[in-house]
Amino acid sequence: MKSKYNERTRLREILSIIRKHNIITGITPEKLRSILEDLGPTYIKMGQIMSMQTDALPHAFLKELEKLRTDVPPMSDEDLRFIIQKTYNKDISELFDDFSYKSLGSASIAQVHSAKLKKSGTQVVLKIQRRDIYKRMEQDIKLMRRVANMVQKVKKDTIIDFETIIDELWKTAQEEMNFLKEAENAVTFYNNHKNVIYATCPKVYTELSSEKILVMEYVDGFFIDNEEMMKAGGYDKKEIAAKLAEDYISQVIDYGFFHADPHPGNIKIRDGQIIWIDLGMMGKLSPRDKGLIADLIASVAKHDTGRIKDIALTLGNPVKDVDHVRLYSDIDLFLSKYSTMDLGNMSLAGIVSELLEILHTHHIQVPSTISMLARGIMTLEGVLAFLNPDINVIDITAAHIKNSKNPASEFTKKVRKAVMELSGSLEKLALIPGFTIDILQMIAKGQVKINSELQISENAQSFIERMIQRIILALITAAIIIGSSLIAIADIQPVIFNLPLFTTIGYIAAGLLTISLFKGKYK
């Protein structure tokens, strides 16, 4: 009975706050932020995550929710001792010296404390999760869904799809509350930067970390937006900006593993190094998406409008029937602004933001990772503008792609490019029925006058079927070559002809398929 009572009490509290803000009259960006702040830490965190979903809310809402990056009251000393005792089955004094009960920072999910390792005396920080935060957030999510249903019934014309947003937020919050995942992220990020002199992240002590407590290297220095410290240290802000942009581009293009929230509070400067902190929210790109994004940026730099259209449609996933004629018209109009613009005057964040807005208008969803990347680029450009207003991310990105020393062989890169191009061709073929319907609808409405008749013969249909079959076979062949090449790189036993056995088999199979393609035996 107690849990039901608590749930009812919390629901009454939520409804009271909603009534206080008169939500029935509509939701403005300022009103949404105020509601989340009044509802407490769980909702503040949800608002922070929501601000990253660039295709879920209009731009004005996203900008207002960015203001939710504020501290919340810290935990009590009693809660700190309880969590540490429960995690390690030991008292704080048995593990750490000089543990500071005064937090270095307190957020909605966790807070940070300094200490020294008992054995080595190394200075560390402990990120400690709030007591019972998972249960509280889980309960609040259930109530959020109830309230969302009520709001949807009362205010049917609301521009926000609360249910979809809540599902995405809960998934993201669950990942962020597992500190072992953040530890894994930090190790991967640290290893990716082993050969980068000017950028890194704190070292993680995995043997002392758990789902509830993360133990990391203590990072002194100052935050990147501290202009006074920047001047006192004799730093060149333009140089820092160039290195920051180059490193972020490398995260995206070279590794497909990037910091999803690069605001100034997550970037420090220490002894000339850029230190990325708070790696709980990271973006991961598939090899396909990574290649498409690199291609998109390069295409913008070259004003290749046709390729930009193809990439946008390939990345997106229509959730409703698409008006293809109107979509292409909107993309044409959007790109016409940049067709004569100099590269140095373009804003990557602006381009991405406008393109996402077009896709959102046409009910084309983009993967959450792409939304995170778009939000990350927008945030990063703000940081870069503070350091060097004249810096251009597109210019640096295009140069990075051109000069990139990818560990993959040139042969593998060419094959991957061919696969992406073939994939794009297939997707264009899939759009033909949609275009046909759109054209017929326009004819029926008198919007188009046509004075010819198109007839497709049986021979033409047969030709199209054979062409599609060959494209599919070519894709399979390319996939086998790529897979076999990756196995060769991995140095797997047994070996035949100085290559792993599976690589040899794969190349033979790909060769036979290629021969059948050229001889036209596949029908």
Side-chain angles (χ1 to χ4, degrees):
M1 290 298 293
K2 186 177 179 181
S3 62
K4 289 184 179 179
Y5 172 77
N6 287 339
E7 186 174 307
R8 286 198 298 268
T9 302
R10 181 60 171 154
L11 181 57
R12 282 197 296 268
E13 183 182 339
I14 291 171
L15 292 175
S16 174
I17 291 171
I18 289 175
R19 280 196 297 269
K20 168 189 162 186
H21 289 278
N22 199 14
I23 196 173
I24 302 302
T25 62
I27 303 177
T28 65
E30 294 78 10
K31 186 181 289 187
L32 179 59
R33 176 180 59 80
S34 296
I35 290 171
L36 295 177
E37 287 176 341
D38 287 351
L39 288 172
T42 299
Y43 287 81
I44 290 173
K45 171 48 64 178
M46 290 301 171
Q48 290 171 347
I49 297 172
M50 198 185 301
S51 72
M52 306 286 291
Q53 310 299 313
T54 55
D55 62 340
L57 292 174
H59 183 68
F61 282 84
L62 298 176
K63 292 299 291 181
E64 189 65 26
L65 292 180
E66 287 180 18
K67 300 175 183 178
L68 287 169
R69 291 193 185 102
T70 54
D71 288 347
V72 297
M75 287 185 281
S76 66
D77 293 353
E78 180 184 353
D79 280 350
L80 284 171
R81 283 190 289 267
F82 174 83
I83 295 167
I84 293 175
Q85 176 70 37
K86 187 175 181 180
T87 300
Y88 298 113
N89 290 320
K90 292 181 179 180
D91 187 73
I92 295 177
S93 60
E94 297 180 64
L95 295 163
F96 305 102
D97 287 330
D98 299 335
F99 180 86
S100 174
Y101 281 93
K102 183 178 180 181
S103 67
L104 299 175
S106 180
S108 53
I109 285 181
Q111 60 192 54
V112 178
H113 294 261
S114 64
K116 290 182 179 178
L117 297 181
K118 191 76 174 177
K119 294 181 179 180
S120 64
T122 303
Q123 188 81 22
V124 294
V125 293
L126 283 72
K127 184 176 180 180
I128 303 174
Q129 194 169 126
R130 288 180 176 273
R131 186 173 180 177
D132 298 327
I133 186 64
Y134 189 97
K135 292 179 181 178
R136 292 206 301 273
M137 291 189 78
E138 186 176 38
Q139 183 189 58
D140 276 349
I141 286 291
K142 290 179 182 177
L143 296 177
M144 276 185 187
R145 290 195 173 103
R146 291 188 188 181
V147 174
N149 288 332
M150 293 168 62
V151 172
Q152 202 72 40
K153 289 177 182 177
V154 175
K155 192 73 176 174
K156 294 182 180 180
D157 60 341
T158 178
I159 60 174
I160 304 173
D161 183 358
F162 282 108
E163 291 187 28
T164 301
I165 292 172
I166 289 169
D167 289 339
E168 184 66 30
L169 298 186
W170 181 228
K171 178 183 175 182
T172 305
Q174 285 177 299
E175 291 179 359
E176 196 169 343
M177 282 187 286
N178 184 355
F179 289 172
L180 287 177
K181 183 64 179 176
E182 182 172 348
E184 181 184 323
N185 289 342
V187 170
T188 301
F189 193 91
Y190 186 87
N191 288 335
N192 289 349
H193 283 75
K194 275 187 174 178
N195 297 322
V196 181
I197 299 173
Y198 60 83
T200 187
C201 72
K203 177 185 175 183
V204 172
Y205 295 88
T206 53
E207 68 281 4
L208 291 172
S209 298
S210 68
E211 287 188 5
K212 308 293 183 185
I213 299 178
L214 183 65
V215 183
M216 300 172 287
E217 166 195 6
Y218 175 80
V219 177
D220 52 9
F222 57 91
F223 290 108
I224 200 165
D225 61 347
N226 191 327
E227 191 162 14
E228 186 179 332
M229 293 296 292
M230 192 83 74
K231 288 181 179 178
Y235 290 103
D236 182 344
K237 290 203 298 183
K238 291 186 177 181
E239 181 184 355
I240 295 291
K243 289 179 177 177
L244 180 65
E246 176 69 24
D247 186 64
Y248 198 76
I249 293 160
S250 178
Q251 292 175 35
V252 175
I253 302 300
D254 297 337
Y255 297 102
F257 186 73
F258 60 92
H259 200 296
D261 194 17
H263 67 83
N266 283 337
I267 309 170
K268 279 191 154 187
I269 303 295
R270 179 190 65 184
D271 298 331
Q273 261 192 325
I274 297 167
I275 313 293
W276 296 88
I277 61 176
D278 194 358
L279 303 174
M281 197 180 295
M282 301 293 292
K284 294 181 182 178
L285 296 170
S286 67
R288 167 187 169 275
D289 288 346
K290 187 172 65 172
L292 285 170
I293 288 167
D295 199 0
L296 173 64
I297 296 168
S299 298
V300 170
K302 293 183 293 185
H303 302 291
D304 187 347
T305 57
R307 183 59 184 148
I308 294 170
K309 291 177 185 177
D310 294 341
I311 295 167
L313 288 170
T314 303
L315 284 172
N317 175 41
V319 294
K320 292 184 180 180
D321 291 339
V322 177
D323 184 341
H324 296 283
V325 175
R326 181 167 160 253
L327 172 61
Y328 271 78
S329 175
D330 287 349
I331 293 177
D332 270 331
L333 185 63
F334 152 68
L335 291 173
S336 66
K337 294 193 306 182
Y338 300 99
S339 61
T340 58
M341 189 180 293
D342 292 335
L343 190 65
N345 295 326
M346 293 183 186
S347 165
L348 182 57
I351 291 172
V352 171
S353 178
E354 288 186 51
L355 186 56
L356 286 177
E357 187 65 31
I358 290 172
L359 296 180
H360 180 66
T361 301
H362 287 270
H363 307 288
I364 299 174
Q365 280 186 346
V366 295
S368 58
T369 303
I370 303 298
S371 293
M372 292 172 74
L373 175 59
R375 182 71 189 90
I377 291 172
M378 293 176 203
T379 304
L380 185 72
E381 279 205 348
V383 179
L384 293 173
F386 161 77
L387 296 169
N388 179 11
D390 298 324
I391 195 169
N392 185 267
V393 179
I394 293 181
D395 198 1
I396 294 175
T397 304
H400 180 91
I401 294 171
K402 182 178 179 180
N403 301 321
S404 179
K405 296 180 180 179
N406 197 301
S409 65
E410 286 300 317
F411 172 75
T412 303
K413 284 194 282 187
K414 288 178 181 178
V415 170
R416 285 178 179 169
K417 182 179 179 182
V419 170
M420 282 197 291
E421 288 175 352
L422 287 168
S423 177
S425 299
L426 282 174
E427 297 200 18
K428 286 179 184 177
L429 286 172
L431 292 174
I432 290 175
F435 279 119
T436 305
I437 292 170
D438 288 334
I439 292 169
L440 290 174
Q441 287 176 339
M442 292 172 70
I443 293 171
K445 293 175 182 178
Q447 293 172 320
V448 176
K449 292 181 179 179
I450 220 167
N451 199 23
S452 62
E453 188 176 273
L454 179 64
Q455 294 182 339
I456 301 178
S457 67
E458 289 185 7
N459 287 338
Q461 290 178 348
S462 177
F463 170 77
I464 292 173
E465 288 176 3
R466 290 198 305 272
M467 180 180 68
I468 293 174
Q469 289 173 344
R470 291 194 181 191
I471 290 173
I472 293 172
L473 185 60
L475 283 170
I476 294 172
T477 303
I480 292 173
I481 294 172
I482 292 172
S484 302
S485 300
L486 293 175
I487 292 173
I489 295 171
D491 191 24
I492 297 174
Q493 300 294 327
V495 174
I496 183 172
F497 303 129
N498 292 324
L499 290 171
L501 176 61
F502 292 111
T503 296
T504 303
I505 294 173
Y507 284 158
I508 292 172
L512 293 173
L513 288 173
T514 302
I515 291 171
S516 71
L517 270 173
F518 282 108
K519 287 190 174 182
K521 291 182 179 180
Y522 187 82
K523 297 182 180 180

